[in-house]
Amino acid sequence: MSDMTLSEELQWRGFVNQTTFADLKELDNKQWTFYHGFDASAPSQTVGNLAGMMFDKVFMRHGHKAIILAGGATSLIGDPGGKDSERQLQDEQTIGANVARAEDQLKQIFRGFEFTMVNNLDWTRDMKVLDFLRDIGKHFSMTPLVQRDYIAKRLGEGGAGISYTEFSYTLLQGMDFLHLYDTMGATLQLGGADQWGNCLSGVDLIRRTRGVEAHVMTLPLIINKATGKKFGKSEEGAIWLDPERTSPYKFYQFWLNTDDDSAEDYLKVFTELEKGKIEQVMRDFNQNRNSRVAQKTLAFEVTKLVHGEEQAHRQVHIADAIAAQSLSALGDEELATLRQEMPAAKAAPGDSVAHLLQTVGLASSLTEARRLVAENAVSINGQKSQNESLDEDDFQNGRLLIRRGKAFKDSALVERG
């Protein structure tokens, strides 16, 4: 972003949480080699992880050298941060497969930028325990470690306790920073708010063993303002970057359903749109919030980033058709998407509307279905209908959208059969 320094853009986008810099403008005075580690204990990264990737991309756009670490070793141990109890350990084969998927997703998000991908299993797999204890463990005092919030909570009254395995996680992360300093000149670590303590382990280790000042910067935890909950969770669970776990349709809809108060923050964090563009979008949005232009812009930009521009345009077309309650213009691939994502059935002119409502799950019984029709609570292609049976004109290009009430989730695709 040519009209902003790095420190200014980080502050404007809301990426500044805690840092070891006395003055954030120190970031603007030289080229940094930074590293950011991504956990691989799950089979996919989530939209919560995506915030960290966008944090990294700000540094990349300003010309700084990026080292992206997939935690093949640390994921075998399990990060105790933010956890009330011990993680279930996973085998090396599972973590290895997770690392491969994480690397593919990271490469997709960082495409167009130069960066170095590393895996911390490469320098820990063959390390001897005595070397680790003498070369790394010797430099850590127990006192500050047990006082760290997430460890103190586990060790305190009512806590679940903590194993030496998870306790050692912060030493391993510190060792990563030291290794990347020694081999690639990294002097800055980026991370999430919950990684602050672990990041400091590397700063202390580099200072003690190399006499060099290293730095850390964390981004804030993203919170859904409407729910107060950690960002990236839905009623169905986490929103994954893997299309096999969260379909592009559900992914786009997740962003499209962003609450009004969060839309501007998410545009800054999760897109690369420049300040002027976001300000224009927000002016248009605030003049007419019913247009939902902020959410539409956000959903398109993030879906394009994660799933590609063609998929993003496809989801826009589907969403527009559903909003207009007219499916006549949808193509075969788009109809195939809807069959997977919403209740679907086949019907013909003359079929009972009440029976159709029950078939697609919009009514629990024929009695309820007949009541909904009688109460004018059913719409076909956006038009209220009290007809007891389907008409020829209800089918547009061989399909129709039937809806109970006003909520999009209470809709079903019906194709002529």
Side-chain angles (χ1 to χ4, degrees):
M1 191 169 284
S2 58
D3 58 339
M4 283 188 182
T5 64
L6 173 59
S7 62
E8 288 171 341
E9 184 175 354
L10 289 169
Q11 289 174 305
W12 175 73
R13 290 193 183 273
F15 278 134
V16 180
N17 181 39
Q18 291 178 285
T19 182
T20 52
F21 290 110
D23 184 347
L24 208 59
K25 291 181 181 178
E26 293 178 54
L27 283 168
D28 306 325
N29 297 333
K30 70 173 190 177
Q31 185 184 60
W32 295 89
T33 297
F34 72 90
Y35 102 90
H36 191 166
F38 289 86
D39 182 68
S41 58
S44 170
Q45 301 292 294
T46 69
V47 292
N49 303 124
L50 181 60
M53 299 175 202
M54 301 307 286
F55 183 32
D56 298 340
K57 290 183 82 172
V58 177
F59 282 81
M60 293 179 182
R61 285 199 299 275
H62 284 268
H64 300 283
K65 184 177 178 181
I67 304 167
I68 306 300
L69 183 149
T74 38
S75 299
L76 285 166
I77 299 303
D79 180 5
K83 300 295 179 183
D84 294 327
S85 59
E86 201 82 6
R87 287 176 184 250
Q88 194 73 31
L89 292 181
Q90 301 181 76
D91 60 63
E92 188 170 336
Q93 184 177 4
T94 300
I95 295 298
N98 291 349
V99 167
R101 283 189 287 267
E103 289 181 342
D104 287 343
Q105 290 172 351
L106 290 161
K107 289 173 183 175
Q108 165 76 4
I109 301 304
F110 295 133
R111 64 189 182 279
F113 291 93
E114 289 188 14
F115 62 97
T116 302
M117 183 77 73
V118 296
N119 180 346
N120 56 14
L121 191 61
D122 292 342
W123 57 84
T124 55
R125 179 190 282 113
D126 298 325
M127 191 175 194
K128 296 177 180 178
V129 66
L130 289 178
D131 292 340
F132 175 72
L133 292 174
R134 289 176 61 87
D135 298 340
I136 304 299
K138 182 67 175 174
H139 299 287
F140 285 86
S141 168
M142 289 291 292
T143 304
L145 291 180
V146 297
Q147 290 174 346
R148 288 186 182 170
D149 290 347
Y150 61 91
I151 295 177
K153 183 179 178 181
R154 293 269 287 271
L155 294 176
E157 185 175 349
I162 187 169
S163 69
Y164 181 76
T165 297
E166 286 199 359
F167 186 80
S168 68
Y169 182 95
T170 192
L171 277 69
L172 289 173
Q173 189 163 319
M175 184 176 72
D176 288 344
F177 200 172
L178 177 63
H179 175 82
L180 293 173
Y181 167 76
D182 285 344
T183 59
M184 302 180 73
T187 54
L188 172 63
Q189 182 179 1
L190 306 184
D194 59 345
Q195 290 298 305
W196 174 248
N198 290 333
C199 293
L200 290 179
S201 291
V203 171
D204 291 342
L205 185 60
I206 291 171
R207 177 176 53 80
R208 289 173 183 273
T209 60
R210 303 295 184 264
V212 172
E213 184 180 45
H215 288 282
V216 171
M217 186 173 181
T218 60
L219 75 157
L221 186 67
I222 310 295
I223 300 295
N224 183 320
K225 290 182 178 179
T227 64
K229 295 180 180 178
K230 184 177 179 180
F231 175 80
K233 299 290 185 181
S234 72
E235 292 179 4
E236 293 80 28
I239 304 299
W240 305 97
L241 303 191
D242 184 343
E244 297 298 318
R245 294 184 168 269
T246 298
S247 68
Y249 172 87
K250 284 191 172 71
F251 188 85
Y252 181 89
Q253 290 292 327
F254 170 79
W255 297 101
L256 192 62
N257 289 324
T258 296
D259 64 283
D260 289 353
D261 290 339
S262 298
E264 183 174 7
D265 289 347
Y266 294 174
L267 281 166
K268 291 177 180 178
V269 170
F270 293 102
T271 81
E272 294 178 272
L273 296 177
E274 295 195 359
K275 184 179 181 182
K277 174 63 175 176
I278 291 177
E279 288 175 344
Q280 182 61 56
V281 168
M282 292 310 300
R283 279 195 295 270
D284 294 343
F285 175 62
N286 287 321
Q287 288 174 3
N288 178 17
R289 291 204 165 198
N290 289 333
S291 70
R292 298 185 62 76
V293 65
Q295 287 90 341
K296 290 177 181 179
T297 303
L298 174 68
F300 176 79
E301 291 293 330
V302 187
T303 304
K304 180 176 71 171
L305 175 69
V306 175
H307 297 298
E309 188 165 359
E310 181 181 347
Q311 188 63 258
H313 283 296
R314 180 179 300 163
Q315 298 310 322
V316 170
H317 197 207
I318 293 172
D320 287 348
I322 292 171
Q325 297 193 61
S326 176
L327 309 182
S328 60
L330 295 184
D332 291 342
E333 288 188 12
E334 294 163 335
L335 283 174
T337 295
L338 281 189
R339 289 188 203 106
Q340 294 178 329
E341 302 294 349
M342 66 165 53
K346 291 187 179 296
D351 284 356
S352 163
V353 172
H355 186 267
L356 179 60
L357 288 168
Q358 184 185 27
T359 299
V360 295
L362 297 182
S364 58
S365 66
L366 279 174
T367 301
E368 184 191 16
R370 292 188 183 105
R371 178 180 59 77
L372 290 169
V373 173
E375 292 177 352
N376 205 25
V378 177
S379 60
I380 295 175
N381 299 325
Q383 302 297 316
K384 293 285 188 180
S385 175
Q386 289 182 295
N387 294 342
E388 293 184 0
S389 59
L390 296 172
D391 292 334
E392 182 75 42
D393 292 343
D394 290 333
F395 291 89
Q396 301 175 346
N397 200 14
R399 78 280 308 232
L400 63 85
L401 187 74
I402 190 167
R403 179 173 293 180
R404 166 190 172 172
K406 297 181 179 180
F408 155 69
K409 63 182 179 63
D410 295 324
S411 303
L413 166 67
V414 181
E415 295 178 271
R416 184 165 183 164

